[in-house]
Amino acid sequence: MSNIWDNYQSDQHYDELIDQHGQSRHCASELVTQLADMATDDLDKRREMAEATIQEMGISFTVYTEEGNIDRAWPFDIIPRTISAQQWQTTAAGLKQRLTALNMFIDDLYNEQRIIKAGIIPEHIIKESKNFRPECCGMSPAFGVWAHICGTDLVRDKDGQFYVLEDNLRVPSGVSYMLENRAITKRVMPELFEKESILPIDDYPDQLFDMLASLSPRQNEEPEIVVLTPGIFNSAYFEHAFLAQQMGAELVEGDDLFVAADDCVYMKTISGPERVDVIYRRIDDEFMDPEAFNPESVLGVRGLMRAWRAGNVALANAPGAGVADDKVVYAYVPEIIRFYLNEEPILPNVKTYLCEDPEQRAYVLQNLDKLVVKPANESGGYGMLVGPHSSKKEQATFARLIQDNPRNYIAQPTLSLSTAPALISSGKVEPRHLDLRPFILQGKNTYVTTGGLTRVAMKKGSLVVNSSQGGGSKDTWIVAKEGN
């Protein structure tokens, strides 16, 4: 037997399990002890069992490459990440506060625009936003909520504090992997759950169904809820199918639905058309309805916006919600919280430089080798410059991009992302950087997952955690114990 912690060290970074003195953190003490008691062969077998389980359960994700779409088995590390329940309570309150304010912001933008009139956010920021949809002006969905499902990316800096890195308010992915990570961990290391008080996560599909049902325009009838997917070639298709199955909802593509002359949405079934009340759409705005947006789209449903505007169907997330997903708008979120809620933000933003501001742009251009530069409306880690890991040629390319379209870029300091141990080979653990994506639901009520999806940079020293960029994942435990 060898103690896997003997040579473990995370240098100057905050580590989720082991503190700077080499001692286990309070909420990780049982886990660290149990892992130390396991023989190397035993750990190896459990890792192999996890890989076999992923294959058996068909847990996969799709990566887009120049050669085409590649289906890959879900990369998974068997050592969980732990967070104390006490800290999570504060974090969850901050996430609820943030989404509440963002939904009030979106509703205001498509109606009175009080925040622009008050001079809190410049009008051109909104007008030039790629995801502001003039077609949505005058609408106010049920409960004033536009972003019903939000995945907020959190990171810890070396001070151990959680910071919000970005808000994903369009079609955030990953919650199915959060649930599957727990299922795999329970299967391959069941005894870990005997001594720990780990808060459950398995009520998410029920919470999602209840939230979607609360949006139904026909409250006196059992709602027909469907998940609208672009199809099997989408990178998140596994998740679309998983959530539909877990909720007992129909998984449909655009061709399965139509809008009739009464401006209601119907699903084609073998027994005839069946009216649809709520659509959990996993298609971007521009492809959702060729009548309202991109006329070339073959993924969406013609007339869907007409049905939504008539109040005959609920769409989650609502069209136009992505305006608050803009990374330039992100920089204004603390002010948005103060404006609508008259409260101080519970969770801080990462310091952000707006390239459209001449002074901030000059600073960014002078420090491209130190900063992370992001386009305003990309996701999945695409289109970014990670300054310290970039070449002079890449920096010159981004300098031109920023000067050509400064509104489209922000920059942030390169954070000292926290680490957690990952089992990288037989009996050997090394620190790997990670982030956390909790999921927040908002309809009639607001719900936050207990923890979230922990994404891990599988390469040593890498800060890129996105699955589409080679990142992996691990189970996330919110641990309740005395003295948390």
Side-chain angles (χ1 to χ4, degrees), residues 146-419:
W146 294 69
H148 307 92
I149 303 108
C150 174
T152 295
D153 290 344
L154 301 177
V155 292
R156 268 202 236 256
D157 202 357
K158 56 188 174 186
D159 59 3
Q161 162 79 48
F162 274 123
Y163 291 83
V164 177
L165 189 61
E166 60 187 49
D167 304 287
N168 296 284
L169 299 164
R170 287 177 282 176
V171 283
S173 295
V175 75
S176 62
Y177 298 110
M178 175 193 81
L179 297 169
E180 295 287 36
N181 286 350
R182 177 61 53 86
I184 299 165
T185 307
K186 279 186 172 177
R187 184 181 289 197
V188 302
M189 297 201 285
E191 71 272 35
L192 296 184
F193 291 82
E194 294 173 4
K195 294 184 179 178
E196 296 275 17
S197 179
I198 305 161
L199 301 188
I201 58 173
D202 51 9
D203 65 338
Y204 180 82
D206 292 337
Q207 294 284 350
L208 176 62
F209 182 89
D210 289 346
M211 183 279 290
L212 293 171
S214 76
L215 309 178
S216 174
R218 297 190 297 171
Q219 284 293 309
N220 296 327
E221 299 185 32
E222 186 71 21
E224 182 68 61
I225 298 172
V226 302
V227 178
L228 176 60
T229 175
I232 196 166
F233 295 112
N234 185 268
S235 63
Y237 182 76
F238 169 83
E239 176 155 298
H240 306 164
F242 177 89
L243 291 176
Q245 189 269 333
Q246 292 289 313
M247 288 194 293
E250 297 290 340
L251 180 67
V252 299
E253 298 185 24
D255 284 346
D256 299 319
L257 304 177
F258 68 94
V259 177
D262 59 357
D263 283 348
C264 293
V265 181
Y266 293 89
M267 176 170 54
K268 301 169 189 171
T269 76
I270 56 173
S271 55
E274 191 169 324
R275 183 172 165 184
V276 173
D277 299 294
V278 183
I279 300 176
Y280 178 18
R281 55 97 175 193
R282 300 295 298 254
I283 295 178
D284 287 338
D285 283 358
E286 57 188 310
F287 301 109
M288 199 168 58
D289 177 2
E291 182 180 289
F293 302 118
N294 182 351
E296 305 296 323
S297 172
V298 295
L299 299 176
V301 183
R302 183 171 293 280
L304 195 54
M305 281 292 287
R306 208 169 357 104
W308 178 66
R309 289 190 63 90
N312 293 332
V313 69
L315 299 176
N317 286 334
V323 66
D325 195 320
D326 189 311
K327 291 180 178 61
V328 175
V329 170
Y330 158 90
Y332 290 91
V333 172
E335 287 303 318
I336 288 172
I337 291 171
R338 294 185 186 103
F339 182 75
Y340 292 107
L341 300 178
N342 196 27
E343 297 173 3
E344 281 301 305
I346 297 172
L347 294 173
N349 268 18
V350 174
K351 183 174 178 59
T352 301
Y353 300 96
L354 298 175
C355 292
E356 67 149 15
D357 179 273
E359 284 189 19
Q360 295 181 50
R361 181 167 66 248
Y363 176 82
V364 171
L365 292 172
Q366 289 167 9
N367 293 279
L368 283 171
D369 59 333
K370 303 179 184 68
L371 300 170
V372 177
V373 181
K374 300 178 180 178
N377 289 291
E378 292 290 342
S379 59
Y382 293 101
M384 286 172 49
L385 176 79
V386 181
H389 297 174
S390 65
S391 65
K392 291 292 181 189
K393 184 178 179 183
E394 289 168 330
Q395 292 167 26
T397 300
F398 268 79
R400 283 195 300 276
L401 290 170
I402 290 169
Q403 286 165 331
D404 288 348
N405 186 5
R407 159 65 177 85
N408 195 45
Y409 289 92
I410 64 159
Q412 295 170 326
T414 309
L415 299 178
S416 175
L417 292 191
S418 65
T419 61

